[in-house]
């Protein structure tokens, strides 16, 4: 028996012809995924808050400069005119206006209440006494008082008072009977 050396012919493929593997197209860059939208919204919010804080800071800084400029003008006017009553009155009014920003009753306070309002700033007792003496200098006949010390005390108090974070909160005491 002899086997035939003829091989059978290859069988035809029994399925579809396959192509090479191909990748899907790259995703489109627009519209971005929701995470990118949230990141953009957070960045915009941070930018708006930063601009608002910067504007608020600049406004406060401008107000501080205006108050200190007014203090310098009062001092220059006293040097030019020599009117110590006008200086004491101007310094006292400046103190009252700045104190009114934090305490609405500051314009009406006298005596111990005014002392407590002034003492809400971290100044020493000597400075506080000079500030309280301004109230009395307005109504006295022209007597000599230390102009430089008064201006320095007001400047020190104003530097603290124009920073709202330095104000000590007042405690309201209620006596309900």
């Amino acid at each position: 028996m002899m086997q035939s050396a003829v091989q059978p012919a290859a069988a035809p493929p029994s399925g579809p012809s396959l192509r090479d593997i191909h990748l899907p197209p790259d995703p489109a860059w627009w519209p971005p995924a929701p995470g990118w939208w949230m990141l953009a919204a957070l960045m915009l919010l941070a930018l708006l808050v930063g601009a608002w804080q910067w504007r608020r800071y600049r406004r406060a800084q401008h107000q501080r400069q205006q108050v200190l400029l007014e203090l310098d003008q009062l001092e220059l006017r006293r040097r030019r005119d020599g009117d110590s009553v006008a200086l004491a009155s101007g310094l006292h009014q400046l103190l009252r206006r700045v104190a009114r920003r934090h305490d609405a009753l500051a314009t009406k306070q006298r005596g111990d209440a005014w002392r407590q309002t002034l003492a809400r700033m971290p100044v020493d007792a000597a400075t506080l006494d000079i500030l309280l003496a301004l109230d009395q200098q307005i109504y006295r006949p022209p007597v000599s008082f230390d102009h430089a010390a008064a201006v320095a005390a007001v400047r020190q108090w104003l530097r603290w008072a124009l920073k709202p974070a330095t104000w000590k909160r007042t405690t309201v005491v209620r006596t309900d009977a």
Side-chain angles (χ1 to χ4, degrees):
M1 273 199 115
M2 204 178 205
Q3 287 196 347
S4 74
V6 177
Q7 295 267 341
S14 64
S17 64
L18 297 177
R19 297 182 296 172
D20 287 339
I21 296 175
H22 64 355
L23 298 174
D26 290 334
W29 65 274
W30 193 261
W36 289 108
W37 283 109
M38 286 191 285
L39 181 64
L42 286 175
M43 288 178 63
L44 181 63
L45 181 66
L47 183 67
L48 290 174
V49 168
W52 177 71
Q53 289 284 352
W54 179 78
R55 184 174 179 200
R56 188 173 159 205
Y57 170 77
R58 294 292 297 166
R59 186 179 314 136
Q61 188 177 18
H62 177 70
Q63 288 175 349
R64 274 187 230 115
Q65 289 173 349
Q66 289 297 101
V67 168
L68 294 175
L69 179 66
E70 185 175 345
L71 178 63
D72 292 338
Q73 289 173 350
L74 286 171
E75 186 178 15
L76 287 174
R77 191 175 315 137
R78 199 243 6 123
R79 286 182 188 167
R80 185 181 59 227
D81 299 341
D83 191 2
S84 61
V85 174
L87 175 68
S89 175
L91 292 175
H92 186 68
Q93 289 174 7
L94 190 60
L95 286 174
R96 294 276 183 173
R97 278 200 325 258
V98 173
R100 186 183 63 196
R101 290 182 183 178
H102 303 283
D103 186 1
L105 299 176
T107 56
K108 299 176 183 178
Q109 294 173 339
R110 298 282 180 246
D112 194 43
W114 177 236
R115 181 181 189 83
Q116 289 176 356
T117 298
L118 291 176
R120 289 172 63 189
M121 292 296 102
V123 293
D124 57 355
T127 302
L128 196 58
D129 290 338
I130 293 171
L131 295 175
L132 288 170
L134 287 174
D135 193 21
Q136 298 167 0
Q137 291 294 331
I138 298 170
Y139 304 110
R140 287 184 183 169
V143 294
S144 64
F145 74 102
D146 193 1
H147 306 102
V151 171
V154 170
R155 186 179 308 276
Q156 180 184 2
W157 191 88
L158 287 175
R159 287 192 190 277
W160 284 105
L162 293 172
K163 297 177 185 175
T166 60
W167 276 87
K168 297 176 189 171
R169 296 265 183 217
T170 58
T171 57
V172 178
V173 177
R174 287 188 173 181
T175 56
D176 295 333

